[in-house]
Amino acid sequence: MTAVDRKVRLSPAATKRPVSGEGAEHARREHVAHKVGAGVAEMEPISCPCCKQPVAAPSLEIVVDRYDVTPLQARILGAVWRGKGMPVQTERIFDAMYVDDADGGPSPTRMYAAFKVALCHLRTRLDGSGIGIENVGYRQGYRLVMAGEITPARRA
């Protein structure tokens, strides 16, 4: 018996998701809840680093400190945070990433690659916190989402 034969096999009907209608919406929500995790619906309580009191609306500095965000990731988060939920163009995020670079940073191709890697790591750090960065749409940028606003279809 091979390793493949030993795996539990599901019937084809059990692995298919409905294409349309209420069943499709229910299946999509279950898939989203499984993929995104239970921590997205509500924000995890964050304590102030100074007084240790719970903070209802954390500042950027508190989030960076709480989730051990790297400096490059903090610049990305800061650029999107300043957008206050509105789309921030990728070029503005690049400017924030390389604000200290006299040459303005590497080539656009390398800049975009570095951004995508840093964004992936930042999303991983913030996973379950209720804070996220969402891709708004093709060439429209990214926006900050808080506590339950994340739509996984636009997360990538």
Side-chain angles (χ1 to χ4, degrees), residues 15 26 42 52-53 58 60 62 65 95-96 104 108 114 142 148 155:
T15 59
H26 179 69
E42 52 186 67
K52 306 297 183 219
Q53 295 294 319
L60 175 63
I62 291 175
D65 183 56
D95 291 343
Y142 296 81
R155 185 173 183 221

Side-chain angles (χ1 to χ4, degrees), residues 132-146:
I133 298 175
E134 173 181 76
N135 184 350
V136 178
Y138 180 70
R139 298 187 58 93
Q140 294 181 12
Y142 296 81
R143 73 180 191 103
L144 181 72
V145 289
M146 303 286 272

Side-chain angles (χ1 to χ4, degrees), residues 13-44:
T15 59
K16 289 184 181 179
R17 292 193 337 222
V19 178
S20 63
E22 286 184 31
E25 181 62 22
H26 179 69
R28 186 192 68 77
R29 287 183 188 188
E30 284 183 4
H31 178 71
V32 167
H34 173 71
K35 185 176 180 181
V36 175
V40 174
E42 52 186 67
M43 190 172 233
E44 178 182 307

Side-chain angles (χ1 to χ4, degrees), residues 59-65 67 69-83 88 93 96-97 115 119 122 126 131-133 143-146:
S59 67
L60 175 63
E61 293 79 20
I62 291 175
V63 172
V64 167
D65 183 56
Y67 295 103
V69 176
T70 66
L72 179 62
Q73 294 168 2
R75 289 187 200 121
I76 293 170
L77 182 60
V80 177
W81 194 281
R82 284 186 293 278
V88 177
I93 298 172
M97 286 171 60
F115 165 68
L119 180 62
L122 177 60
L126 297 176
I131 302 168
I133 298 175
R143 73 180 191 103
L144 181 72
V145 289
M146 303 286 272

Side-chain angles (χ1 to χ4, degrees), residues 7 9 12 24 35 37 44 47 49-50 62 71-72 76 90 94 107:
K7 287 185 179 179
R9 294 189 185 234
K35 185 176 180 181
E44 178 182 307
S47 299
C50 303
I62 291 175
L72 179 62
I76 293 170
T90 311
F94 291 163
S107 70

